Amino acid sequence: MTLQEILNLIQNTTHQITTLAWALFLLTWSIGWTIRGSPIPIGKLKRAGNSLIEDSVWAAFWLAIGSTIFNLILYIVSLITH
Amino acid sequence: MSYSLNYEYLYIAYKLSLLTFYIGVLIYALPIPMPGIKKWGPILIQDGILAAVFVLVINLFFAAGDRIAQLVGGSWEFFRVWLSSSSSILITLKSILLIIESIPNVAGTLTGIKSVAKIADKMITSALIFQAFIAGLAWIVKNLSGFLASIGAILYAMPFRIARSAGAWIIAFLVVFSAGLQALPVFLQAAAGNSSFSGFGPIADYGIAMANISVEALEGRAYTGILHVQLYDSGKEIARYIVRDGYARGKYSDEGVLVPSKTKIVYDYEYLGVSFNMVPYPTFPSNYTVIGGLWLLNLSNPFLIYSGNGVLVFTSGSTREIYHDDNQLKIKIYLKTNDYIEVRYIKSCDVSLSVSPGSGSRVRGSWSWYNLSGSYDKFISSKDREYDVEIKFDCRGSGVPRASVKSYASIRKIAESFFGFNLIKMFILYYFTLPSLYLLMLYSIAFGLAKALGGRERLPLRVF
């Protein structure tokens, strides 16, 4: 396995994971609202639904901001090293 | 120095940190409300960002390490000089001890000294092995650090902290040791300079020094020849070294040769059968410049104009100006009546000497010296005046004499002072114990740095 192949493998995996994460965000978000909004009067269940929503929102936040963060790191580092 | 990092590996490490980050995000987005799995979300996100920063600033770590080493006065050059001079001193002492051990012990008179010699021999052997170990470490840190650091970065950036501590350890080790080894001689000198260790440290205190001696003609350094070291008082030759590429070379080391450190001596440079008393004449211990335990000295002589491979030009007058081209010397020289300028060369050389104006006599003849033989061409002035001399030479073959090196190590003197047991103890302290202490110190610093780089197990990122 050459370096390029390793690199491609990593990049493809990252890409797939990103796509999957977006899909899962939608799923988790809907499941979360479904549980939270369901007419079952159990507080524990409602809290679980709530935490799913919060987690999915965080995931969406990191997904959206991820590439920005890494570009920012690259930019700052290039400022320091040059 | 620059550390040539492997940028392909670093790129992989950077991409791995991205992967780590997105795996963290994926775990965040999982619709499974289990804290055991979910806790990896924020950890991996933080790891990914940290690893990306780390991979990109890895150069700065090395630069900082080098800077610190330079601030305390260390450098790879200093380290190399220290290692080379100390190991050749150890080898010399070992050879002396072997000689002592091989002296037949008639009627048990030498039992005392021989038993100490045996112990000292073992100690010096282990010190030598230890020095080789340090040299090996330095080699790894100097030559493999770029490659190893890149591998370390990849390990560091792997998801789920699989190899994070290994990567942190490799990089911490390289950074700490590349800075620390450069500063090792500084540490030893500082310790040896401490007054509570009297009679401890540089071998120069025991009448012997490692010196780097250059032999300089008016035009360039002497290519080859023989350097005799003589006692000033009795004229007795105590050592003999071969000059190569301008420097006196010993048996064990190219860094320098062993010379007496407490005696007034005379350096006599001999080539093609002519010898010159070199300036400073005589040479006092104070004439040397001491850097890192190595004594430096430049020898010169105002009558030695040029000493090349198989060619020697010298005079008894005063040289005003020299112009040197590849195979040609143009000299302006002031000669009094009966002063001369002479060129000597080996058989395989074509040499022409022309002097203008030609108011004087020419003498030609032959000489032989060690394994070499050849001719000389001499111009003797009949007036007091300035001459323009032009010498063209074209040499093939080697002009290096086949003479044996006689290293300075007065066995009796060293045996007298060295075989006080106390001295051996100090010696081992300087070459073995202190360096190992220092290495242990570096090791623990590297450990601490690795821990700092590896970070704590849990990082509080959740902002709920």
Side-chain angles (χ1 to χ4, degrees):
Chain A
M1 205 143 118
T2 64
L3 282 179
Q4 192 57 47
E5 281 167 356
I6 294 174
L7 204 60
N8 287 341
L9 178 72
I10 295 170
Q11 270 174 328
N12 291 338
T13 315
T14 310
H15 191 74
Q16 284 164 5
I17 283 176
T18 318
T19 319
L20 190 62
W22 274 118
L24 276 179
F25 150 68
L26 287 173
L27 182 66
T28 310
W29 191 76
S30 346
I31 292 177
W33 273 116
T34 311
I35 294 174
R36 203 186 160 186
S38 64
I40 307 166
I42 304 171
K44 215 175 178 183
L45 198 69
K46 298 242 175 192
R47 275 198 294 281
N50 193 44
S51 83
L52 279 184
I53 296 166
E54 281 182 352
D55 278 359
S56 67
V57 170
W58 272 110
F61 168 72
W62 286 119
L63 273 172
I65 213 171
S67 57
T68 316
I69 286 180
F70 282 93
N71 283 332
L72 191 69
I73 291 171
L74 273 177
Y75 175 68
I76 292 171
V77 167
S78 70
L79 280 187
I80 296 170
T81 47
H82 289 290
Chain B
M1 69 174 280
S2 65
Y3 295 87
S4 51
L5 294 160
N6 186 322
Y7 286 100
E8 283 171 334
Y9 288 5
L10 282 188
Y11 193 53
I12 288 181
Y14 180 71
K15 289 289 172 188
L16 270 177
S17 70
L18 277 174
L19 179 65
T20 305
F21 177 86
Y22 282 112
I23 289 177
V25 174
L26 179 76
I27 289 174
Y28 243 134
L30 277 180
I32 308 165
M34 283 172 70
I37 300 171
K38 283 277 176 158
K39 75 159 191 195
W40 278 104
I43 290 177
L44 287 181
I45 286 176
Q46 176 105 17
D47 279 4
I49 294 172
L50 198 65
V53 173
F54 183 69
V55 165
L56 292 169
V57 299
I58 208 165
N59 262 322
L60 289 183
F61 276 92
F62 285 102
D66 268 2
R67 188 88 188 97
I68 291 169
Q70 279 166 15
L71 280 179
V72 297
S75 69
W76 281 120
E77 182 62 19
F78 196 13
F79 175 78
R80 192 176 59 83
V81 167
W82 173 80
L83 189 72
S84 174
S85 61
S86 61
S87 55
S88 59
I89 284 168
L90 286 172
I91 291 173
T92 310
L93 283 171
K94 190 167 166 58
S95 61
I96 293 167
L97 287 165
L98 287 177
I99 293 168
I100 289 171
E101 282 184 65
S102 65
I103 301 170
N105 189 2
V106 183
T109 47
L110 285 172
T111 308
I113 197 169
K114 270 172 158 275
S115 54
V116 177
K118 216 166 213 169
I119 299 168
D121 183 31
K122 277 183 181 153
M123 285 170 153
I124 284 172
T125 307
S126 53
L128 264 173
I129 292 170
F130 183 63
Q131 297 250 315
F133 170 69
I134 296 179
L137 268 185
W139 188 84
I140 289 176
V141 166
K142 264 179 85 172
N143 297 308
L144 292 183
S145 64
F147 170 73
L148 286 177
S150 313
I151 295 280
I154 291 183
L155 293 178
Y156 191 83
M158 280 200 177
F160 295 104
R161 305 190 159 178
I162 300 168
R164 185 177 151 102
S165 51
W169 166 252
I170 289 179
I171 287 159
F173 166 79
L174 291 172
V175 169
V176 170
F177 275 77
S178 72
L181 284 178
Q182 294 183 59
L184 172 63
V186 180
F187 172 77
L188 289 179
Q189 270 192 346
N194 190 328
S195 58
S196 58
F197 284 100
S198 58
F200 162 70
I203 192 164
D205 293 351
Y206 312 120
I208 177 170
M210 176 64 76
N212 188 320
I213 299 169
S214 74
V215 180
E216 287 169 6
L218 292 180
E219 176 57 42
R221 293 202 170 111
Y223 179 78
T224 182
I226 296 173
L227 190 68
H228 300 275
V229 187
Q230 295 158 348
L231 289 178
Y232 179 71
D233 300 325
S234 62
K236 187 179 159 241
E237 183 185 78
I238 51 175
R240 183 172 59 235
Y241 298 112
I242 302 285
V243 176
R244 263 188 287 127
D245 292 330
Y247 290 92
R249 312 280 182 168
K251 265 181 191 165
Y252 307 113
S253 164
D254 266 3
E255 295 303 333
V257 294
L258 294 175
V259 296
S261 68
K262 288 185 164 173
T263 330
K264 210 186 329 175
I265 50 174
V266 173
Y267 284 105
D268 202 36
Y269 169 68
E270 187 182 0
Y271 191 48
L272 305 185
V274 189
S275 69
F276 301 88
N277 282 327
M278 302 306 278
V279 180
Y281 178 89
T283 306
F284 292 92
S286 58
N287 289 128
Y288 298 85
T289 316
V290 182
I291 295 177
L294 189 70
W295 292 33
L296 307 176
L297 183 67
N298 291 332
L299 294 174
S300 61
N301 185 301
F303 302 116
L304 173 61
I305 297 177
Y306 177 77
S307 174
N309 183 17
V311 185
L312 181 73
V313 183
F314 57 99
T315 181
S316 61
S318 49
T319 310
R320 294 274 158 83
E321 226 175 82
I322 304 173
Y323 170 75
H324 181 206
D325 207 357
D326 276 346
N327 289 325
Q328 174 173 288
L329 281 171
K330 284 181 183 164
I331 305 162
K332 256 193 206 328
I333 195 167
Y334 184 82
L335 299 176
K336 288 184 178 158
T337 312
N338 288 333
D339 270 352
Y340 61 87
I341 178 164
E342 179 174 334
V343 51
R344 287 196 174 206
Y345 47 96
I346 56 175
K347 266 182 204 159
S348 54
C349 285
D350 286 328
V351 173
S352 73
L353 167 73
S354 61
V355 184
S356 71
S359 52
S361 54
R362 291 289 277 267
V363 182
R364 288 188 175 88
S366 65
W367 53 267
S368 79
W369 179 69
Y370 288 89
N371 56 319
L372 304 169
S373 60
S375 320
Y376 66 84
D377 197 344
K378 187 175 188 176
F379 171 83
I380 303 167
S381 168
S382 56
K383 277 183 193 161
D384 294 4
R385 65 155 293 156
E386 194 174 87
Y387 293 89
D388 285 315
V389 180
E390 199 177 322
I391 299 165
K392 282 183 183 156
F393 49 90
D394 181 16
C395 283
R396 280 170 296 273
S398 163
V400 181
R402 235 178 268 137
S404 60
V405 168
K406 183 172 132 196
S407 190
Y408 175 73
S410 64
I411 293 173
R412 215 173 302 149
K413 262 192 186 161
I414 290 183
E416 274 167 16
S417 58
F418 189 72
F419 294 107
F421 198 74
N422 198 32
L423 192 70
I424 299 174
K425 188 181 78 190
M426 289 308 185
F427 205 76
I428 293 305
L429 265 181
Y430 190 74
Y431 286 112
F432 189 70
T433 316
L434 271 181
S436 23
L437 205 73
Y438 185 77
L439 285 197
L440 270 178
M441 201 170 84
L442 289 188
Y443 178 81
S444 60
I445 294 174
F447 197 77
L449 183 62
K451 221 171 155 189
L453 291 178
R456 285 178 288 160
E457 273 309 304
R458 291 211 178 114
L459 298 159
L461 192 81
R462 286 168 79 107
V463 207
F464 296 43

